[in-house]
Amino acid sequence: MCGRARCSLRVDDIPRACGVNHGPIRTVQIDRYRPSYNVSPGFYVPVIHREHQGNDGGGGGQETVLHCMKWGLIPSFTKKTEKPDHYRMFNARSESISEKASFRRLLPKNRCVVAVEGFYEWKKDGSKKQPYYIHLKDGRPLVFAALYDSWKNSEGEVVYTFTIVTTSCSSAFQWLHDRMPVILGDKSSIDAWLNGSTTSGFDTLLKPFENPDLVWYPVTPAMGKASFDGPECIKEIPLKTEENNLISKFFSKKIPGNEKETNEPIKGSPKESNHPEPSGSLKAEQEENVDLPSDSEEKRSKKFDSFPLRPEGDKKCGIKRDYEELESETKPSPDKIGKLELSPRKKNSNIGKLEMSPLKKKSNIKTAGDKQSTLLSYFGKKP
């Protein structure tokens, strides 16, 4: 399919691009031509066709005509009151032009060629479409095979329109689209299409263009709008695949420090491991994580350094015998029970700053000679 093209050629260059280097050329409505980098159906585009001289259309030779027509065929049998739709027949499939009534009657005498610098095609990627600009490597214009017709509207104006003939895509073009315009690559094929009196022999012309000089590159999606025009339409742009690869690398890399938080394996390449390598320097580790920002790595290292696994001054408890000796040496006398405070170790424990009242402390401490406490012992007189 061909629905957008670049036609910014000068009027004088169009006949030469179509292999017409000698003889008189008659121009028709050429003043309607406006060079554009983004031509779409409904635009006026110059085409070359041949007409027989004389009123009967017989002998008398042929003349070359440079005629500015609208892209998008409107068949002559269309009703005058009908609103023309140039997007309905802007392309004609070469496999069916000899069968459909709209094209079959045009093959004998209404063949023409269109010269453009290049055309655009879209690559579908899910819901997104990326346009590509297709052109010849050496900058020569492309010449398309086309058919034209005339139609008279309700105002009595005769409107000339054309359609571009398409065929199956070339082997190098299959990744982008399944159709491409019929490209007439040399003067002999152009003359055969314009001068041929019968439809026999056209099958050799309506084939995919396999010339390796046909190249393409991505352009801005903004040219999808028909109002977008200018050199920016054909400016090559970088695709976002490289950026996506960097993002995927960022998340697939093993982040130092996360191994302390979780034991789950990190999905990545087979070369990545969840265990530290026995050899290697700090420099090698930095090279492995070259995709990580330097400031993020520094903050990550400070974060885990600020949470030690065990306080520095903390020591392991001794055996039970050492604990009993320590308890007997530090056990307070009964007269100091009221002034008992929690030890520093207990202050740091999960109990917090909660302290026991003197009365509760006194009641909980028992000596070897004490008997079972009674209710009267709590109401006894003070000494």
Side-chain angles (χ1 to χ4, degrees), residues 83-135:
K83 185 179 179 180
D85 184 5
H86 296 284
Y87 280 88
R88 184 181 299 176
M89 297 183 186
F90 62 88
N91 284 158
R93 297 176 66 94
S94 61
E95 297 87 350
S96 60
I97 57 175
S98 60
E99 301 173 0
K100 291 187 176 181
S102 300
F103 310 130
R104 182 178 64 244
R105 57 189 179 82
L106 304 178
L107 272 176
K109 297 180 180 180
N110 288 47
R111 297 183 303 273
C112 63
V113 293
V114 185
V116 298
E117 288 108 321
F119 66 101
Y120 303 93
E121 199 57 77
W122 276 258
K123 171 68 175 177
K124 293 182 180 180
D125 185 10
S127 59
K128 297 182 180 179
K129 294 182 179 180
Q130 173 60 49
Y132 286 79
Y133 178 61
I134 300 99
H135 64 102

Side-chain angles (χ1 to χ4, degrees), residues 29 62 100 161 286 298:
Q29 297 178 342
Q62 290 181 332
K100 291 187 176 181
T161 59
Q286 292 177 351
E298 183 179 355

Side-chain angles (χ1 to χ4, degrees), residues 309-324:
L309 297 178
R310 187 171 64 238
E312 296 180 357
D314 195 10
K315 296 180 179 180
K316 294 182 179 179
C317 295
I319 60 178
K320 184 175 180 181
R321 184 181 302 170
D322 297 336
Y323 175 76
E324 292 177 352

